[in-house]
Amino acid sequence: MSEPTGDQARCWAMMEEIGTCLLVTVTARGTHARPMNAILRPAESAIWFLTDAASHKTGELETAPDVCLIFTDGSSRHLVVRGHATLVNDRDAVRSVWTPEAKAFWPNGPDDASVNAIHVEPVEAEVWEGDNIAVAAFKAVFAAVRGVRAE
């Protein structure tokens, strides 16, 4: 395993700085997004999450394992990662990605059978960086009024 370089390293650094993302799954009725704390393993090219075995997302991932992860600082930096998710119920794997914050959800710790892990293998990523959303919206409206293309 090796550490990512170049654009990959930039994406991993951005994920690390932002931390929380929206995990988007596909359901029978469309898509479902929820905030999740990403556990990053760049050397393994893996993004992990802890989840409850009885959550809706476990069934969604069994049916449709392709996911979208949206990391944003809410202002000027946005990263969208598409990947393939696998549910993992192996206690060693759960222990390896366990975080102190997880105890708030599973007080019995990583050996609690209701704790599963989600392993996401990133396939591709897109980065948007620039003006904050308010400034970008203003520029878009201003360009529309002037009849020119927004930058």
Side-chain angles (χ1 to χ4, degrees), residues 21-92:
C21 70
L22 290 176
L23 168 64
V24 183
T25 56
V26 177
T27 72
R29 297 184 345 210
T31 57
H32 183 193
R34 78 281 284 156
M36 299 283 292
N37 184 38
I39 304 159
L40 307 173
R41 299 289 193 265
E44 301 169 17
S45 189
I47 303 167
W48 290 85
F49 302 94
L50 292 171
T51 189
D52 199 277
S55 74
H56 291 290
K57 73 182 106 18
T58 59
E60 294 164 4
L61 293 172
E62 287 171 348
T63 304
D66 291 329
V67 297
C68 181
L69 309 176
I70 303 168
F71 293 83
T72 181
D73 68 1
S75 179
S76 62
R77 298 174 353 133
H78 316 281
L79 171 66
V80 176
V81 177
R82 282 179 284 290
H84 185 78
T86 306
L87 286 170
V88 179
N89 190 20
D90 176 74
R91 292 299 98 201
D92 288 336

Side-chain angles (χ1 to χ4, degrees), residues 3-19 40 42 47 71-73 76-81 122 124-131:
E3 289 296 321
T5 58
D7 289 340
Q8 289 181 349
R10 178 178 170 214
C11 289
W12 286 106
M14 196 170 176
M15 286 185 268
E16 181 70 36
E17 290 166 14
I18 295 171
L40 307 173
I47 303 167
F71 293 83
T72 181
D73 68 1
S76 62
R77 298 174 353 133
H78 316 281
L79 171 66
V80 176
V81 177
E124 64 181 348
E126 296 174 70
V127 173
W128 290 278
E129 292 182 290
D131 293 330

Side-chain angles (χ1 to χ4, degrees), residues 23 135 139:
L23 168 64
V135 171
K139 285 183 176 181

